Every structure is written in structure tokens, then in C-alpha cells.
Amino acid sequence: MKFLVSMYVVMAIMGLVNLTNEYILNGEYSALASWLTVTLFSSGLYFLLMQGLLSPKNECWDLNPG
């Protein structure tokens, strides 16, 4: 459940970056805002994937199943 909350926090930060760019900075730094949004999305996706792959319950690394 805490990962779901973390995902929503990252999504809120992404929205805040875009709204700040459009309304406060008048769209002057749209390339930087887009880069930051993509970076936040990619790092969040990487974190979620690594959290699943490295968890002790994951069986994909089990060399002796059964």
C-alpha cells in the first residue's frame, strides 16, 4: 500500500511541474519541464520494477524450484 501512495505522490509532483511551467513560468521552460516529467516517470517505473524483482517473495531467481 505504501508503494501505491508513493506512486500517487510522484504523479502529483509531475502534475505540479507541468502546472508550474504553464502558469508561473508561462511555458518558457517547457523542454526542462518535459525532461523532468519523463525522468520522474522513468525513475518511478524503475523503482517499482526493482522492488518487485528484488523482493524475497519473488520466485524468478529461484534456481531450485519445488
Side-chain angles (χ1 to χ4, degrees):
M1 186 66 176
K2 66 180 178 178
F3 299 118
L4 187 61
V5 172
S6 301
M7 184 178 67
Y8 281 120
V9 168
V10 171
M11 288 173 56
I13 293 171
M14 290 167 53
L16 185 67
V17 165
N18 287 325
L19 289 174
T20 302
N21 176 48
E22 287 299 320
Y23 293 109
I24 296 175
L25 302 175
N26 295 325
E28 294 181 17
Y29 299 100
S30 61
L32 183 63
S34 297
W35 177 84
L36 188 57
T37 301
V38 169
T39 304
L40 283 169
F41 179 78
S42 300
S43 61
L45 186 63
Y46 177 77
F47 174 74
L48 287 175
L49 286 174
M50 288 299 109
Q51 194 67 27
L53 286 176
L54 299 177
S55 69
K57 298 178 203 170
N58 191 4
E59 297 177 359
C60 70
W61 302 108
D62 190 11
L63 298 177
N64 298 318

